[in-house]
mmCIF file of all heavy atoms in Angstrom:
data_model
loop_
_atom_site.group_PDB
_atom_site.id
_atom_site.type_symbol
_atom_site.label_atom_id
_atom_site.label_comp_id
_atom_site.label_asym_id
_atom_site.label_seq_id
_atom_site.Cartn_x
_atom_site.Cartn_y
_atom_site.Cartn_z
ATOM 1 N N LEU A 220 124.454 37.686 67.215
ATOM 2 C CA LEU A 220 123.644 38.759 67.687
ATOM 3 C C LEU A 220 123.794 40.029 66.837
ATOM 4 O O LEU A 220 122.849 40.763 66.623
ATOM 5 C CB LEU A 220 123.968 39.097 69.142
ATOM 6 C CG LEU A 220 123.688 37.970 70.149
ATOM 7 C CD1 LEU A 220 124.261 38.297 71.498
ATOM 8 C CD2 LEU A 220 122.185 37.729 70.261
ATOM 9 N N GLN A 221 125.024 40.227 66.320
ATOM 10 C CA GLN A 221 125.255 41.415 65.505
ATOM 11 C C GLN A 221 124.737 41.269 64.108
ATOM 12 O O GLN A 221 124.324 42.231 63.471
ATOM 13 C CB GLN A 221 126.763 41.673 65.447
ATOM 14 C CG GLN A 221 127.393 42.120 66.710
ATOM 15 C CD GLN A 221 128.905 42.216 66.655
ATOM 16 O OE1 GLN A 221 129.516 41.957 65.649
ATOM 17 N NE2 GLN A 221 129.518 42.609 67.784
ATOM 18 N N ILE A 222 124.740 40.092 63.508
ATOM 19 C CA ILE A 222 124.452 39.889 62.074
ATOM 20 C C ILE A 222 123.160 39.179 61.852
ATOM 21 O O ILE A 222 122.271 39.665 61.088
ATOM 22 C CB ILE A 222 125.629 39.077 61.424
ATOM 23 C CG1 ILE A 222 126.865 39.963 61.486
ATOM 24 C CG2 ILE A 222 125.256 38.729 59.978
ATOM 25 C CD1 ILE A 222 128.149 39.171 61.142
ATOM 26 N N VAL A 223 122.913 38.078 62.521
ATOM 27 C CA VAL A 223 121.621 37.340 62.307
ATOM 28 C C VAL A 223 120.493 38.039 62.931
ATOM 29 O O VAL A 223 119.407 38.164 62.441
ATOM 30 C CB VAL A 223 121.760 35.850 62.802
ATOM 31 C CG1 VAL A 223 120.466 35.124 62.573
ATOM 32 C CG2 VAL A 223 122.925 35.158 62.092
ATOM 33 N N LYS A 224 120.793 38.591 64.121
ATOM 34 C CA LYS A 224 119.865 39.401 64.937
ATOM 35 C C LYS A 224 118.637 38.563 65.400
ATOM 36 O O LYS A 224 118.552 37.372 65.162
ATOM 37 C CB LYS A 224 119.401 40.571 64.122
ATOM 38 C CG LYS A 224 120.533 41.572 63.848
ATOM 39 C CD LYS A 224 120.293 42.862 64.557
ATOM 40 C CE LYS A 224 121.489 43.798 64.560
ATOM 41 N NZ LYS A 224 121.753 44.333 65.826
ATOM 42 N N THR A 225 117.694 39.282 66.004
ATOM 43 C CA THR A 225 116.565 38.615 66.680
ATOM 44 C C THR A 225 115.380 38.392 65.684
ATOM 45 O O THR A 225 115.263 39.091 64.705
ATOM 46 C CB THR A 225 116.042 39.426 67.906
ATOM 47 O OG1 THR A 225 115.885 40.777 67.477
ATOM 48 C CG2 THR A 225 117.058 39.308 69.050
ATOM 49 N N ALA A 226 114.534 37.469 66.056
ATOM 50 C CA ALA A 226 113.396 37.195 65.268
ATOM 51 C C ALA A 226 112.338 38.306 65.492
ATOM 52 O O ALA A 226 112.368 38.978 66.537
ATOM 53 C CB ALA A 226 112.745 35.886 65.701
ATOM 54 N N PRO A 227 111.397 38.510 64.559
ATOM 55 C CA PRO A 227 110.376 39.523 64.751
ATOM 56 C C PRO A 227 109.635 39.301 66.061
ATOM 57 O O PRO A 227 109.271 38.186 66.412
ATOM 58 C CB PRO A 227 109.384 39.307 63.552
ATOM 59 C CG PRO A 227 110.195 38.582 62.538
ATOM 60 C CD PRO A 227 111.276 37.794 63.295
ATOM 61 N N GLY A 228 109.410 40.363 66.807
ATOM 62 C CA GLY A 228 108.697 40.307 68.098
ATOM 63 C C GLY A 228 109.656 39.996 69.250
ATOM 64 O O GLY A 228 109.217 39.980 70.427
ATOM 65 N N PHE A 229 110.928 39.737 68.986
ATOM 66 C CA PHE A 229 111.891 39.429 70.064
ATOM 67 C C PHE A 229 113.054 40.480 70.038
ATOM 68 O O PHE A 229 113.532 40.853 68.919
ATOM 69 C CB PHE A 229 112.500 38.030 69.917
ATOM 70 C CG PHE A 229 111.469 36.965 70.274
ATOM 71 C CD1 PHE A 229 110.673 36.411 69.274
ATOM 72 C CD2 PHE A 229 111.348 36.528 71.612
ATOM 73 C CE1 PHE A 229 109.759 35.424 69.595
ATOM 74 C CE2 PHE A 229 110.389 35.602 71.961
ATOM 75 C CZ PHE A 229 109.606 35.035 70.895
ATOM 76 N N SER A 230 113.504 40.860 71.207
ATOM 77 C CA SER A 230 114.647 41.699 71.251
ATOM 78 C C SER A 230 115.755 41.007 72.103
ATOM 79 O O SER A 230 116.850 41.543 72.299
ATOM 80 C CB SER A 230 114.333 43.043 71.917
ATOM 81 O OG SER A 230 113.857 42.821 73.231
ATOM 82 N N CYS A 231 115.416 39.803 72.527
ATOM 83 C CA CYS A 231 116.270 39.153 73.507
ATOM 84 C C CYS A 231 116.463 37.664 73.166
ATOM 85 O O CYS A 231 115.519 36.914 72.973
ATOM 86 C CB CYS A 231 115.602 39.291 74.852
ATOM 87 S SG CYS A 231 116.148 38.144 76.098
#
Side-chain angles (χ1 to χ4, degrees):
L220 294 171
Q221 292 173 357
I222 295 166
V223 179
K224 295 247 171 225
T225 50
F229 287 92
S230 61
C231 162

